Amino acid sequence: MKLPSVSQIVDDARRSFARYPFAVLDAVIGTSCALVLIDHEGPPQSTFLFQVVFAAVFGFPLLAALALSARKQHWSSSWALTAQIAGIALSVVYGLTVPPDIAGAPAIHVIRLAMLTAAWVLFAFWFPYLAHQNERGYWQYGKTLVMRVVTAFIYSAVMWIGLSIALAALDNLFGVEIPPRRYGELWVLVTGVFAPWFFLAGIPEDLDGLDEITTYPKGLKVFAQYVLYPLVFLYWVILYAYIGKILLAWDWPQGWVSKLILGFVATGLTASLLLHPLRERAENLWIAKASRWFYYIIIPLIVMLFLAVGRRTSDYGYTEGRYLAIAAGVWLCVITLYYLVSAKKRILFIPATLCLGLFVVTFGPWGMFAISEQSQIQRLENLLTKNHVLVGGQVQRDHDTLSYDASREISSILTYLGEVHGFGRIQAWFSRSLLADSVRGTSRYKDAATVAQLMGIEYIRVWQNSTTGWTNFTSDPEGTLALDGYSHLLKAPRIYAPKTRREFPGSGITLSVGEDVGVLAVTFSRSGQNVDSLEANLHPLVEKLTTDYGKSSAGHIPPEKMCITAACASSKVKIMLSSISMQRRDKTSKIVSYEGEMAYTLLPGN
């Protein structure tokens, strides 16, 4: 095989840019903004660059799909340009819906981006061929896109590994300091610019010519026939054996089985699509029969899917995962009916309906986000009302101690809301703001443990059992604290693991812990040499907090109650903790993590 020359690679890149200018520029702009964000040192800040990155990820598959549609459907240049401008406008509008402080915002924005990106990718798989009936050409088109994605990923991975080794060689052999973030920036650069550009360059210019291709890759047949179909058979045996167990024991199906059903369907559909061009050949008539029987086989599995997910939903309400499982069941009903009844049986129907389904479930009051949030808020409201925590629409801290199961269930819901949606919909229950700070327009909320503390409820993590527990002490974010006698303030990192070490070169300070996370060592250095050190022991502070505020979690503790001081010959420090987490097991407690700030000053003569 003859390797392409540099001039050929440059020429291919130039021609792909000429064919997909807006998609390539979208990738370059989005990657540039991502690199700036990665290169930023310090805590994440609110910036429009996050919005640009989200808009670019959203826009690339859309702009590429529109360019492919224009070429396949032979749009006029003016209509093709109008479609691209409309795609850019839609991407900008979407970007404006993303909060600029996305790094601290709930995960709903990331999940929605993933859903919409997947929908636009599927859009590129079917929309260019919507008006064309040539199944052979459409299959070749779909195969080309998939192979370009796989090839682009492999090339990008190899390129990144090779360049990373080169950077490591410069670091270790020549003493050129390479910050760790450079490897992440390299990966973003390769996957953000090279991969999409390489992907587009490999798509044939003459899409109409795909209709005339009759060759079929032998490797695909081997993979589908001898790898995928045996897996389908194995899944089928397991699932039908499980159906038999349910019927014999008359037991409700487990929720986990829904994942196996969806895996079985995905594998079966993939095998069927890969072998689709061979189904009309005399020696491969079994493929058409196997494909048709596949849709009969999945009918009982669809019923079991609805039963399994329905049981989980009735017990624990809707979440995005359960909603999507039900939506997938509905989609399977649609395609099963189509392939058993329809005379045409176009394979384009699969990506087209899946694409439209993703758009439908992502937006609106019927969408997965609205339904899931409302379902969990209703569960939370019922639990709080039943336990007299929510009275007259307001949270009351003075109430009887809740049972372990009630606290655990409430904690689980709060964790879900905090991670996915935020606490905006339940803010009216509280007199205090649930936002993490007072900055206007922020999307960052207090953590679930703090919200539980505001309810007077012990926060229990989902992996805990009744013999363990957690205590969380949190200082009042609106409290004030005097810093007389200290000249500098340092934002300390979160300490959460033994043998952690963090250096602050600008200040000459190093923070570290050994096996005992509760003993923080502070080392002072000058000109690269350690000159003094001290230890700050958190255990007496924790014992005092436990005595004053009990073993259950407590929030909004006066800041002066969560401080410790220490001094050495050259310096003195004041560590102001914003939160402390401890794990209780039987009658012992262990400090697990803490975070805050440290004020320090040099003593006279140093």
Side-chain angles (χ1 to χ4, degrees):
M1 181 179 67
K2 183 180 179 180
L3 295 176
S5 63
V6 175
S7 60
Q8 181 182 345
I9 294 174
V10 172
D11 186 58
D12 289 343
R14 179 187 57 79
R15 284 188 287 108
S16 63
F17 179 78
R19 286 185 287 158
Y20 309 98
F22 295 103
V24 172
L25 287 174
D26 174 277
V28 171
I29 293 172
T31 302
S32 301
C33 293
L35 291 175
V36 173
L37 291 171
I38 294 174
D39 198 59
H40 169 73
E41 294 185 2
Q45 297 179 354
S46 177
T47 171
F48 74 96
L49 295 178
F50 285 114
Q51 297 173 302
V52 176
V53 171
F54 271 59
V57 175
F58 173 94
F60 176 78
L62 169 59
L63 296 173
L66 291 174
L68 289 168
S69 300
R71 290 172 51 214
K72 179 58 182 175
Q73 300 178 16
H74 304 290
W75 295 349
S76 65
S77 57
S78 59
W79 177 239
L81 179 61
T82 301
Q84 292 284 305
I85 293 175
I88 294 172
L90 185 60
S91 301
V92 171
V93 170
Y94 167 73
L96 294 175
T97 66
V98 177
D101 59 339
I102 188 66
I108 181 175
H109 304 286
V110 176
I111 299 173
R112 180 179 285 121
L113 175 64
M115 296 286 291
L116 293 175
T117 302
W120 287 128
V121 169
L122 290 168
F123 181 76
F125 270 86
W126 68 271
F127 190 73
Y129 274 77
L130 180 61
H132 294 264
Q133 303 294 322
N134 191 310
E135 284 286 279
R136 180 172 57 192
Y138 175 68
W139 186 89
Q140 292 289 346
Y141 168 76
K143 183 209 73 174
T144 300
L145 294 188
V146 172
M147 294 304 297
R148 289 307 302 172
V149 169
V150 173
T151 306
F153 175 78
I154 294 175
Y155 274 54
S156 299
V158 172
M159 177 179 289
W160 178 76
I161 292 172
L163 293 176
S164 295
I165 294 174
L167 290 179
L170 290 175
D171 191 349
N172 291 279
L173 299 180
F174 297 96
V176 179
E177 184 177 356
I178 306 295
R181 65 177 180 277
R182 295 288 180 251
Y183 297 93
E185 291 171 351
L186 180 61
W187 175 252
V188 170
L189 182 63
V190 170
T191 57
V193 176
F194 169 77
W197 207 328
F198 180 83
F199 164 77
L200 294 173
I203 299 176
E205 295 187 29
D206 181 19
L207 293 180
D208 291 334
L210 295 176
D211 297 345
E212 308 302 323
I213 297 178
T214 58
T215 57
Y216 181 88
K218 184 177 180 180
L220 282 184
K221 181 179 180 181
V222 172
F223 176 68
Q225 186 171 344
Y226 297 106
V227 176
L228 292 185
Y229 267 116
L231 286 176
V232 171
F233 178 76
L234 176 63
Y235 284 167
W236 174 74
V237 171
I238 294 173
L239 289 170
Y240 267 72
Y242 184 64
I243 290 177
K245 175 188 173 183
I246 291 174
L247 294 176
L248 290 175
W250 203 244
D251 189 19
W252 203 272
Q254 298 293 321
W256 184 87
V257 75
S258 60
K259 297 181 178 64
L260 189 60
I261 293 173
L262 294 176
F264 167 77
V265 172
T267 306
L269 287 177
T270 301
S272 178
L273 291 175
L274 289 179
L275 295 176
H276 183 79
L278 304 178
R279 58 195 297 138
E280 302 302 329
R281 298 182 183 181
E283 68 274 18
N284 294 315
L285 293 180
W286 66 271
I287 296 176
K289 294 180 180 180
S291 298
R292 183 170 180 83
W293 273 104
F294 173 76
Y295 292 102
Y296 284 112
I297 289 173
I298 65 175
I299 292 176
L301 301 180
I302 295 174
V303 174
M304 186 164 63
L305 172 66
F306 282 125
L307 291 175
V309 179
R311 176 62 180 271
R312 296 286 294 177
T313 302
S314 64
D315 289 342
Y316 304 108
Y318 283 94
T319 60
E320 282 74 15
R322 293 168 199 148
Y323 183 103
L324 283 177
I326 294 174
V330 174
W331 177 72
L332 288 177
C333 291
V334 172
I335 65 168
T336 298
L337 183 64
Y338 173 81
Y339 278 102
L340 291 179
V341 175
S342 174
K344 292 185 177 180
K345 297 180 176 55
R346 295 189 63 188
I347 56 175
L348 178 145
F349 188 78
I350 292 177
T353 52
L354 190 56
C355 169
L356 296 176
L358 287 176
F359 282 124
V360 169
V361 303
T362 304
F363 297 104
W366 57 82
M368 65 177 189
F369 299 113
I371 294 294
S372 299
E373 183 182 22
Q374 181 57 40
S375 174
Q376 295 303 319
I377 289 177
Q378 187 62 55
R379 287 183 63 226
L380 179 62
E381 183 176 3
N382 292 339
L383 284 167
L384 295 177
T385 302
K386 178 182 178 181
N387 289 278
H388 309 291
V389 179
L390 187 65
V391 180
Q394 292 294 308
V395 166
Q396 309 295 322
R397 285 183 56 87
D398 297 328
H399 51 75
D400 294 336
T401 302
L402 274 63
S403 67
Y404 171 82
D405 290 337
S407 296
R408 180 184 174 90
E409 194 166 358
I410 291 171
S411 299
S412 175
I413 299 173
L414 290 176
T415 300
Y416 163 80
L417 291 176
E419 292 177 351
V420 180
H421 297 278
F423 299 112
R425 291 280 301 278
I426 64 173
Q427 175 63 73
W429 299 351
F430 297 83
S431 57
R432 287 180 175 271
S433 173
L434 299 182
L435 292 172
D437 52 54
S438 58
V439 177
R440 186 174 182 181
T442 183
S443 299
R444 188 188 297 270
Y445 287 92
K446 290 178 169 58
D447 57 62
T450 302
V451 176
Q453 292 165 12
L454 294 177
M455 294 177 172
I457 297 172
E458 180 180 4
Y459 180 72
I460 300 174
R461 286 167 172 78
V462 294
W463 60 82
Q464 291 175 224
N465 56 45
S466 58
T467 64
T468 65
W470 288 75
T471 298
N472 297 279
F473 296 122
T474 308
S475 67
D476 188 345
E478 299 177 2
T480 59
L481 189 64
L483 292 178
D484 296 340
Y486 296 92
S487 59
H488 297 79
L489 184 66
L490 189 68
K491 178 66 176 178
R494 177 170 175 259
I495 303 296
Y496 60 89
K499 298 183 178 180
T500 300
R501 178 183 176 89
R502 175 71 183 275
E503 297 181 2
F504 298 86
S507 63
I509 293 176
T510 300
L511 303 180
S512 60
V513 297
E515 291 293 344
D516 185 355
V517 176
V519 178
L520 178 65
V522 184
T523 304
F524 297 88
S525 62
R526 301 288 183 273
S527 302
Q529 299 295 322
N530 294 344
V531 297
D532 215 339
S533 63
L534 58 86
E535 282 189 347
N537 192 336
L538 274 66
H539 294 290
L541 173 65
V542 168
E543 292 177 4
K544 175 67 173 170
L545 291 173
T546 302
T547 301
D548 293 344
Y549 297 97
K551 294 183 178 180
S552 60
S553 300
H556 294 275
I557 298 172
E560 64 270 13
K561 298 280 191 180
M562 293 188 63
C563 295
I564 57 174
T565 59
C568 57
S570 63
S571 307
K572 65 176 182 177
V573 301
K574 184 173 187 175
I575 299 175
M576 302 159 288
L577 297 166
S578 59
S579 67
I580 306 173
S581 295
M582 299 184 302
Q583 184 179 25
R584 304 194 312 273
R585 185 176 295 276
D586 298 326
K587 296 182 179 181
T588 63
S589 296
K590 181 178 70 172
I591 297 175
V592 175
S593 67
Y594 48 88
E595 60 182 329
E597 297 175 320
M598 185 179 77
Y600 68 95
T601 192
L602 299 178
L603 297 176
N606 294 279

